[in-house]
Amino acid sequence: MMHASPPAPQDIETLAQLFAAMEATQAIRTTAVREILDGRTPDPAHAVHLEAVLTGLAPTPGQGAMTQLLLPDGRTLNVDLAQERKELSKDLIFLQSGEQALMRHLAREIDGFDDHLEAGRRFLGDRQFNCFFTDRDGTVQSYHGRYATAVQSASSAVFLCRFAMSRTQSPIMLTSAPLRGPGILDVTAIPSGLFVYGASKGREYLDRAGNRGALPIPPRKKALLKALNERLLALVHQPENEVFTLIGSGLQCKFGQTTLARQDMDGSVAGDRSAGLRAAVRDITASLDPAGEHFRIEDTGLDLEIILTIDDEAGGIKDFDKGDAVAYLDRCLGLGIENGPHLACGDTPADIPMALAASARGAETLAIFVGCDDLTRDMIRGKLPSALFLPSPDVLTALLGEAARNG
Ligand SMILES: [Mg+2]
């Protein structure tokens, strides 16, 4: 007997409540997706629950668009939950009024929506794809302020699954986030068994049968990364540092790389606290790796990326990219990458190697990029001259949903 909907949440006043409420939406959305894919009418209780969460995420009176939440150390943090609200609102339309109502909503919201869909349909044609590689964030999911609350909408999951099931042999979501902790499996609304997940940029994966695999890392390096992650966890569990797990990327212990947010897009954290965290992370890294042989720290301004260096065959140090991931997954999962056509969808230059690797053995590979500025578009066109560009994740997922039905 499936327990469809956990009890609806009360007011959301603390970060813990926010995370619990969004986690509950993942379970509800996944259940709704499964019901829809099975041809059933989704339980109306799902929409009732999502609506209660949406109400709980309202901006705090007197704080503009921001919602004020209580932190474990008694301080408050103002967060912008606009994306979470937007995704919930779309799901309410989808679940309560149906798919066509959602399409009409998107057509009103997005300039040239119908024209983009038409261009997309022509681009895809009636091909049956062997591999469907897709990035997640920025490609099939709009960017959120916090990874842990960026739960996929039910509509996006339904559209992706329908396309995957009807027009592709091997659907693979390839993301830089880890599998868990929080990772892709914590924020997906796709029922298990339908997609392969390549996480940590494809250095670890979960296949459709539920098997996990990961690139081998030399034991010495593995032990160092484990020690680093333990020290970082202890650092962010100090009450004054807990905020860093709750903003932006939070703490993500990826396979071969650890990401720790030191700031978010809204600048929620005071500059001196952010700088203090960076200094503490550098001290920890230096104490574990005094010669700087095993870790490389990249500071994006928002995130600290502590990357375990991998020796390449020429004796140099190489960063693993999504092209390496395609080749690795092909070896592990027998994708038959030489047999096209493939479809590759992404939103940044980091996704270019994924499309190039798919076509490396001569298979026709279609590439769709989402939401790129002119500069990025030019860079992508230089490498993938026939790529199609779409304005947003909503347009891409709507296209795939439509293409599935018509394909
Ligand atoms: Mg992306």
Side-chain angles (χ1 to χ4, degrees):
M1 178 78 188
M2 187 172 293
H3 186 75
S5 294
Q10 308 299 310
D11 282 352
I12 292 166
E13 289 164 349
T14 67
L15 268 159
Q17 288 168 344
L18 170 67
F19 285 112
M22 294 310 295
E23 198 181 316
T25 72
Q26 188 205 14
I28 290 163
R29 284 161 150 162
T30 308
T31 306
V33 172
R34 172 48 73 200
E35 289 166 356
I36 292 168
L37 293 176
D38 287 349
R40 290 181 279 154
T41 304
D43 184 340
H46 302 325
V48 171
H49 187 118
L50 295 182
E51 197 158 22
V53 175
L54 177 60
T55 307
L57 298 185
T60 307
Q63 301 294 327
M66 307 296 266
T67 305
Q68 193 170 67
L69 297 170
L70 203 57
L71 292 174
D73 67 356
R75 297 186 225 207
T76 57
L77 180 71
N78 278 356
V79 295
D80 182 350
L81 301 175
Q83 282 303 335
E84 285 81 352
R85 286 197 296 272
K86 195 174 153 203
E87 296 296 320
L88 283 165
S89 301
K90 279 190 302 183
D91 266 354
L92 287 176
I93 298 172
F94 181 64
L95 294 173
Q96 291 174 328
S97 307
E99 184 171 331
Q100 289 315 311
L102 178 64
M103 289 296 172
R104 287 193 296 276
H105 169 78
L106 294 175
R108 280 193 303 274
E109 297 270 304
I110 299 167
D111 279 348
F113 181 73
D114 291 328
D115 294 340
H116 288 300
L117 284 196
E118 182 50 34
R121 277 192 290 264
R122 281 201 310 270
F123 184 74
L124 295 173
D126 58 2
R127 290 174 184 81
Q128 279 294 128
F129 295 96
N130 178 11
C131 297
F132 165 37
F133 295 104
T134 183
D135 168 58
R136 187 187 108 111
D137 297 281
T139 301
V140 295
Q141 173 83 19
S142 55
Y143 282 112
H144 286 48
R146 285 149 306 284
Y147 190 78
T149 59
V151 178
Q152 185 181 24
S153 64
S155 56
S156 152
V158 166
F159 297 158
L160 281 174
C161 291
R162 208 157 62 191
F163 181 79
M165 290 157 70
S166 69
R167 294 195 57 177
T168 78
Q169 201 66 41
S170 294
I172 297 154
M173 195 167 281
L174 200 44
T175 183
S176 61
L179 279 173
R180 284 273 186 209
I184 178 71
L185 298 178
D186 301 302
V187 290
T188 186
I190 293 174
S192 60
L194 297 180
F195 269 71
V196 173
Y197 293 99
S200 302
K201 251 187 219 167
R203 286 171 292 202
E204 55 173 346
Y205 66 83
L206 180 75
D207 72 13
R208 284 187 286 179
N211 303 307
R212 285 184 182 222
L215 267 180
I217 292 181
R220 162 107 180 100
K221 293 209 179 225
K222 209 176 203 170
L224 273 172
L225 187 62
K226 185 164 176 278
L228 174 83
N229 288 339
E230 281 165 3
R231 298 275 297 272
L232 291 178
L233 264 172
L235 178 71
V236 298
H237 278 155
Q238 294 166 8
E240 69 275 18
N241 289 330
E242 197 138 14
V243 63
F244 295 105
T245 66
L246 306 169
I247 60 164
S249 304
L251 175 64
Q252 297 185 12
C253 298
K254 304 173 184 180
F255 191 84
Q257 180 173 337
T258 297
T259 302
L260 177 58
R262 68 177 187 88
Q263 189 55 279
D264 65 11
M265 293 187 290
D266 305 321
S268 305
V269 176
D272 56 339
R273 290 185 75 193
S274 176
L277 181 86
R278 183 176 54 196
V281 169
R282 286 195 170 141
D283 287 349
I284 288 173
T285 309
S287 73
L288 291 168
D289 179 26
E293 297 166 80
H294 302 291
F295 294 120
R296 191 164 63 75
I297 300 183
E298 261 178 32
D299 181 1
T300 70
L302 299 181
D303 292 337
L304 298 168
E305 300 275 5
I306 306 121
I307 302 162
L308 195 67
T309 57
I310 303 288
D311 301 331
D312 74 8
E313 279 157 16
I317 288 172
K318 181 189 187 309
D319 281 357
F320 191 84
D321 68 27
K322 284 190 177 182
D324 299 314
V326 167
Y328 171 61
L329 293 175
D330 181 40
R331 280 199 307 279
C332 295
L333 304 176
L335 301 175
I337 205 75
E338 63 281 10
N339 304 315
H342 308 302
L343 175 63
C345 300
D347 76 308
T348 68
D351 298 312
I352 296 174
M354 175 173 77
L356 292 177
S359 63
R361 289 204 230 144
E364 182 193 22
T365 300
L366 273 61
I368 300 181
F369 278 79
V370 174
C372 302
D373 59 26
D374 289 345
L375 204 68
T376 310
R377 209 177 264 232
D378 288 346
M379 186 189 296
I380 291 164
R381 280 210 182 101
K383 308 260 184 183
L384 300 161
S386 57
L388 175 75
F389 292 89
L390 294 175
S392 67
D394 280 340
V395 178
L396 174 60
T397 51
L399 166 66
L400 296 177
E402 291 261 306
R405 198 173 37 205
N406 300 329

